[in-house]
Amino acid sequence: MTGYLTTHVLDTARGCPAAGLKIDLYRIEGEARTFLRSLHTNEDGRTDAHILPAEEFALGSYELVFHCGAYLDGIGVPVESPRFLDVVPLRFGMSEAAHYHVPLLLSPFGYSTYRGS
């Protein structure tokens, strides 16, 4: 089996997918942080392609960076200065060749994540 990585974002304050949210993916090796790609969520709150496809999968540590502040600005959530949640980084490890699904549940004042399926 080959591994791959997917994600999606749900706007729990509005009870719907978070469409148009930018997500960056980095590989972490020691102190080095290597940018791999940027994608945006679609109308279902998911990316149209795997954020890390099987042909590029490697075991190790990664970071998903969710640009929540720009998304919240775009949907008209009143702007704070500074915004409570702006850029949300999630670091995690992939230790086996499997499907890793790392979603984000988002509201203007909190978030959670888990390893999904």
Side-chain angles (χ1 to χ4, degrees):
M1 176 178 186
T2 302
Y4 60 99
L5 173 64
T6 59
T7 188
H8 76 272
V9 184
L10 298 175
D11 183 330
T12 58
R14 297 188 317 146
C16 64
L21 192 143
K22 180 182 175 187
I23 305 167
D24 297 328
L25 175 66
Y26 294 86
R27 179 162 171 82
I28 309 299
E29 296 177 279
E31 296 299 315
R33 182 176 180 247
T34 304
F35 174 78
L36 299 178
R37 70 181 37 82
S38 287
L39 296 171
H40 286 81
T41 56
N42 59 24
E43 293 300 314
D44 194 35
R46 300 175 185 276
T47 57
D48 289 332
H50 295 157
I51 196 149
L52 184 63
E55 58 272 9
E56 297 176 33
F57 182 85
L59 302 179
S61 297
Y62 290 85
E63 182 178 71
L64 287 169
V65 177
F66 297 87
H67 294 267
C68 299
Y71 165 77
L72 294 169
D73 290 346
I75 63 167
V77 172
V79 177
E80 311 161 295
S81 185
R83 187 172 283 289
F84 180 71
L85 289 179
D86 186 15
V87 176
V88 174
L90 295 178
R91 282 200 179 180
F92 57 95
M94 296 192 292
S95 60
E96 60 182 318
H99 175 198
Y100 284 82
H101 183 68
V102 182
L104 185 75
L105 307 177
L106 172 67
S107 79
F109 299 103
Y111 67 91
S112 66
T113 189
Y114 56 94
R115 181 177 172 185
S117 58

